[in-house]
Structure formats: structure tokens, C-alpha cells
């Protein structure tokens, strides 16, 4: 069948909206009609050409919400009509990683997903007989997309898909980084570097964890208003200081914060985030995705003296078993999502969503199909 999609033909070029072919789901796959999708910085990163796994032509997008339209042979865990959130970190429940109890990084379909293909090694998207690749196993910038069954989380049908689509990446990643990865405890001090969808969600997570002080750091002061609304207590713009920002934060906090989170993808900032942590116990979590080939550095003595460096993908959240409860928390009013949606638009205006992000004017743009 045909579907409308925003196609990334090559790195650095705007997406083009067109009709492409999408094949029926094969064994273990489902076809989902996207109702809405967010646009995350990671989509922009891949489109820029900086992503070593970026493959073109492809259908980007990984922050979606939709309805199951068809299921392939052998699919048992979801049915036509179910509401689902696509998972770029799937959950097979059977692989060594899933069974470890230590990580959410299911590896069941990792190899093919990284090649922009479905688990059988082929693509469901094409145009004029030529394949178009999948992206992160999700490709939510197509109205109809095909996903492995293990890469969808079935959620409450009452949840508005044009909001909870954001739980498919940004909000869950930020909250999960605080609650699952860092395990921030009540009374802890927290610094958040970068106040986009991810950093603002870290702030939400820190509030849920009952942190005593949440220091919001961004070079765009316009981001501070939303950070304050979500619960940040202190606001720091590194451009206003001549000292390295880690020194400023160490001075502000009697020796450093208990936890810090890098939510930009800037390796210098990753160092600052580590080095603003308290000697003896401070922990820094890298969430931002740095450019291809970039490396982090610090003096090893920073670690010898007790600071810890970690990273997180999708906030350590296991999508099929844990994401439905994030949706329930949103429905109860415990997780804020609506506030993050600063712009909505149709698929034909998706390039505007990228522009707004690059101009620092949006938190999240949501594309409504
Ligand atoms: P965004 O573009 O919406 O926000 C980035 C923010 O960082 C902006 O507010 C910007 O002003 C600020 N910033 C830029 N340079 C800065 C600097 N030098 N100092 C302080 N602030 C600075 O991006 P986002 O969607 O929130 O994503 C943030 C990062 O997280 C990206 O690298 C993205 O790829 C990554 N990400 C990681 C995961 C994961 O699972 N690890 C998931 C989603 C996104
Ligand atoms: O299992 O080796 C692996 C890779 C899993 C991909 C996790 C990606 C997380 C960071 C990218 C941000 C996603 C929006
Ligand atoms: Zn994302
Ligand atoms: Zn698995």
C-alpha cells in the first residue's frame, strides 16, 4: 500500500513529503498507523550526517504514538486496534540482555536495526522499487510504518496519542535517567546541563525523586522559564561567567552536586558535568549523543577521588514492561507532558519543526498526521 512519509534522501537536506510504498507486516511484525510523532534532537543529529549509523534514504522519527492496523503471522501480544508507542529500544524478554536484569538494551534485533532493516534483513519501505531504509526500528515520520512486535509498547487507549507520543523518547529518557540510572535520592542536589526536551524531563525526574536543589544550566536563557515551571531552583547561564562552569557550580553547592546530567551531546560539557560533581560520591550521567568520533576526557584523579561517570539510553526504561506505567502516571497527572508541546503541525510542515529546534524556539514540536 501507499503511505505519506517524510523522506530523508541525504544528509543535510530537508525532508521531502511524498507517497512511498509500505509492504504488509511479515511474521512477528505489526503495521502501525501513526497518529502523532515528536521531533527529537536525535532525528536532527542523524539528518545532519553526524550519526555513524545514519543511513540514507530513510524514514526518520522515533517518538511516535499510533494504532495497530495489521499484524503479521505469529503476532500474539498486540492486536488490530491496540494503541502503541514504538520502541527504538525493543524488549524481547528472552535475550541475555533482557534476562540480565541489569540493562534495557535488548539486543534481539540490534544488528538489523542498526542497518536500517527489519529483522529478516529487508526493508518494508520503497519508492519506484528502490528500498528506503528504516530508522531506529521505528520510522515514525511515515503515516503507516512497520515495526517488529517486540518494538511496540501497548498502552491505555484513553491516553491522547498526540501527547503520549513524547513518552516514546524524550520525557521517558529524562525521567528514567534520574529514577533508574542515577537513582537520585530525596534531598540530593542535581545539576542539569541543557534544557531541551531531555533536560526538562530530567528536572521532572529530579522533582519526582524529591531532590532538594535542581540547578538548570543552558546558554539560552529563554529555557529557564519552563525549567522553573517544572521545578528547577537555580539557573545558570555559562556564557555569563568567565570561570569554567564546573567551578561556578562547585562554589554554588559547597563542593559540588550529588548528581549531574549532560543533556546536550557536547563533550566539553560532559567534562564540566562530571567535574561539578561532589568529591567522594558525585555521579554524572551522560544522556546527550555526541558527534561521530568525538571523545570525552577528564583527569583520572576525578574518578580516583570518587566521582562516577555513567551513561543511559532511553533512561534505562524497558519499553514493553515499564512504558505503559509511564502513560498511566501521565494520566494521573504525575508526569507532565502537555507542557512540553510548544508547537504542533502537519507532516507537510515537518521541516519547520527542525528549524524551530535549531533556533532554540521549541521544546517539542509534535507532528499530527
Ligand atoms: P534540544 O536541542 O531540544 O535541547 C538541547 C539544549 O541544550 C538546548 O536548550 C540548548 O540551548 C542547550 N545547549 C546547547 N549547547 C549548550 C551548552 N554549551 N551549554 C548549555 N546548554 C547548551 O535537544 P533534546 O531533544 O533535549 O536532546 C538533547 C540530547 O539528548 C541530544 O544529544 C539527543 O541526541 C540526546 N538524546 C539522548 C537519548 C538517550 O537515550 N541517551 C534520548 C534522546 C535524546
Ligand atoms: O544496543 O547497542 C545498542 C544501541 C541501542 C541504541 C540506544 C540509543 C540511545 C541513544 C540515542 C538516542 C535516541 C533517541
Ligand atoms: Zn529521541
Ligand atoms: Zn531482548
Amino acid at each position: 500500500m501507499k503511505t505519506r512519509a517524510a523522506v530523508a534522501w541525504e544528509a543535510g537536506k530537508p525532508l521531502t513529503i511524498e507517497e512511498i510504498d509500505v509492504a504488509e507486516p511479515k511474521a512477528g511484525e505489526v503495521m502501525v498507523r501513526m497518529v502523532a510523532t515528536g521531533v527529537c534532537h536525535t532525528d536532527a543529529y542523524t539528518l545532519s550526517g553526524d550519526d555513524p549509523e545514519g543511513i540514507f534514504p530513510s524514514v526518520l522519527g522515533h517518538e511516535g504514538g499510533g494504532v495497530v492496523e495489521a499484524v503479521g503471522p505469529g503476532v500474539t501480544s498486540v492486536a488490530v486496534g491496540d494503541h502503541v508507542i514504538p520502541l527504538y529500544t525493543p524488549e524481547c524478554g528472552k535475550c541475555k540482555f533482557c534476562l540480565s536484569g541489569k540493562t534495557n538494551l535488548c539486543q534481539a534485533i540490534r544488528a538489523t536495526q542498526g542497518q536500517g532493516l527489519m529483522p529478516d534483513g529487508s526493508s518494508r519501505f520503497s519508492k519506484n522499487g528502490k528500498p528506503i531504509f528504516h530508522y531506529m526500528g521505528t520510522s515514525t515520520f511515515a503515516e503507516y510504518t512497520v515495526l517488529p512486535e517486540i518494538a511496540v509498547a501497548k498502552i491505555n487507549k484513553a491516553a491522547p496519542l498526540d501527547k503520549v507520543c513524547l513518552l516514546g523518547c524524550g520525557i521517558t529518557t529524562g525521567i528514567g535517567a534520574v529514577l533508574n540510572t542515577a537513582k537520585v535520592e530525596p534531598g540530593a542536589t542535581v545539576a542539569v546541563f541543557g534544557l531541551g526536551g531531555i533536560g526538562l524531563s530530567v528536572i521532572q525526574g529530579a522533582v519526582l525523586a524529591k531532590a532538594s536543589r535542581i540547578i538548570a544550566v543552558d546558554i539560552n536563557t529563554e529555557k529557564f522559564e519552563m525549567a522553573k515551571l517544572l521545578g528547577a531552583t537555580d539557573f545558570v547561564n555559562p556564557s555569563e561567567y568567565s570561570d569554567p562552569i564546573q567551578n561556578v557550580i562547585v562554589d554554588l553547592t559547597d563542593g559540588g552536586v550529588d548528581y549531574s546530567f549532560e543533556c546536550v551531546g557536547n563533550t566539553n560539557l560532559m567534562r564540566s558535568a562530571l567535574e561539578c560533581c561532589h568529591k567522594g560520591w558525585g555521579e554524572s550521567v551522560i544522556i546527550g549523543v555526541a558527534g561521530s568520533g568525538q571523545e570525552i576526557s577528564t583527569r583520572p584523579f576525578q574518578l580516583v577521588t570518587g566521582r562516577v561517570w555513567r551513561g543511559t539510553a532511553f533512561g534505562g526504561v524497558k519499553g514493553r514492561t515499564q512504558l505503559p506505567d509511564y502513560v498511566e502516571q501521565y494520566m494521573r497527572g504525575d508526569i507532565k507532558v502537555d507542557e512540553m508541546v510548544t508547537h504542533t503541525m502537519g507532516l507537510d510542515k515537518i521541516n519547520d519543526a527542525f528549524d524551530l529546534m535549531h533556533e532554540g524556539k521549541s521544546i517539542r514540536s509534535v507532528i499530527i498526521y
Side-chain angles (χ1 to χ4, degrees):
M1 60 179 271
K2 301 278 183 197
T3 182
R4 259 185 334 135
V7 181
W9 286 103
E10 56 182 305
K13 294 275 164 65
L15 305 180
T16 62
I17 314 306
E18 41 201 298
E19 289 238 304
I20 64 172
D21 294 297
V22 56
E24 293 300 310
K26 293 192 181 178
E29 299 175 1
V30 298
M31 178 179 278
V32 173
R33 176 176 59 81
M34 280 302 140
V35 171
T37 178
V39 179
C40 169
H41 197 110
T42 308
D43 298 307
Y45 164 72
T46 301
L47 185 58
S48 75
D50 274 346
D51 177 357
E53 273 202 355
I55 301 171
F56 301 91
S58 58
V59 177
L60 302 176
H62 63 279
E63 208 172 55
V67 181
V68 176
E69 287 287 313
V71 299
V75 170
T76 55
S77 62
V78 285
V80 171
D82 283 347
H83 289 203
V84 293
I85 293 180
L87 301 171
Y88 61 85
T89 303
E91 185 183 354
C92 75
K94 294 181 193 154
C95 74
K96 185 164 110 177
F97 290 72
C98 282
L99 293 174
S100 72
K102 296 180 176 180
T103 180
N104 63 336
L105 293 179
C106 172
Q107 298 293 292
I109 55 171
R110 174 69 199 133
T112 46
Q113 182 174 317
Q115 295 161 352
L117 299 169
M118 294 297 283
D120 75 344
S122 62
S123 175
R124 300 292 160 269
F125 295 120
S126 60
K127 174 115 185 177
N128 301 325
K130 293 206 172 124
I132 295 175
F133 292 98
H134 296 252
Y135 172 66
M136 295 184 78
T138 51
S139 291
T140 60
F141 294 167
E143 188 167 6
Y144 289 85
T145 190
V146 176
L147 304 109
E149 175 184 13
I150 61 167
V152 295
K154 181 175 158 181
I155 60 159
N156 186 342
K157 276 188 185 169
L161 290 164
D162 60 343
K163 303 291 189 306
V164 295
C165 60
L166 299 188
L167 292 170
C169 182
I171 295 178
T172 306
T173 296
I175 295 176
V178 175
L179 302 182
N180 295 333
T181 310
K183 300 187 174 65
V184 170
E185 67 273 5
T189 54
V190 170
V192 186
F193 290 77
L195 305 174
I198 307 296
L200 291 169
S201 303
V202 167
I203 292 173
Q204 277 211 65
V207 169
L208 290 172
K210 299 189 169 41
S212 60
R213 200 164 170 196
I214 305 169
I215 302 171
V217 184
D218 203 297
I219 48 173
N220 179 353
T221 47
E222 285 174 20
K223 302 284 178 137
F224 292 155
E225 188 185 339
M226 183 62 76
K228 188 169 188 184
L229 193 83
L230 290 170
T233 57
D234 299 65
F235 307 90
V236 174
N237 181 348
S239 334
E240 291 171 3
Y241 297 86
S242 51
D243 266 6
I245 201 61
Q246 51 268 51
N247 297 355
V248 173
I249 294 172
V250 165
D251 287 348
L252 266 177
T253 54
D254 186 27
V257 292
D258 299 316
Y259 298 94
S260 72
F261 297 84
E262 201 280 350
C263 314
V264 179
N266 175 323
T267 53
N268 296 321
L269 213 55
M270 291 173 188
R271 179 175 192 153
S272 301
L274 176 80
E275 295 182 359
C276 79
C277 285
H278 204 287
K279 184 175 184 175
W281 62 75
E283 300 195 11
S284 187
V285 180
I286 294 177
I287 307 178
V289 177
S292 174
Q294 294 187 3
E295 297 185 351
I296 47 171
S297 62
T298 189
R299 295 206 178 97
F301 208 60
Q302 291 281 333
L303 306 186
V304 168
T305 51
R307 294 169 195 84
V308 175
W309 226 342
R310 302 182 190 283
T312 188
F314 198 40
V317 171
K318 288 179 174 243
R320 303 199 90 200
T321 50
Q322 296 178 331
L323 193 56
D325 186 55
Y326 274 70
V327 172
E328 296 309 320
Q329 290 183 57
Y330 162 73
M331 298 295 278
R332 289 198 300 268
D334 297 338
I335 291 179
K336 295 188 171 77
V337 176
D338 300 16
E339 292 80 348
M340 306 290 237
V341 182
T342 51
H343 300 78
T344 54
M345 57 202 73
L347 186 66
D348 55 326
K349 293 278 185 253
I350 193 167
N351 289 305
D352 293 355
F354 283 86
D355 293 342
L356 287 162
M357 180 197 303
H358 291 307
E359 291 160 10
K361 291 184 178 155
S362 59
I363 294 170
R364 274 295 190 266
S365 293
V366 171
I367 309 300
I368 316 274
Y369 284 96

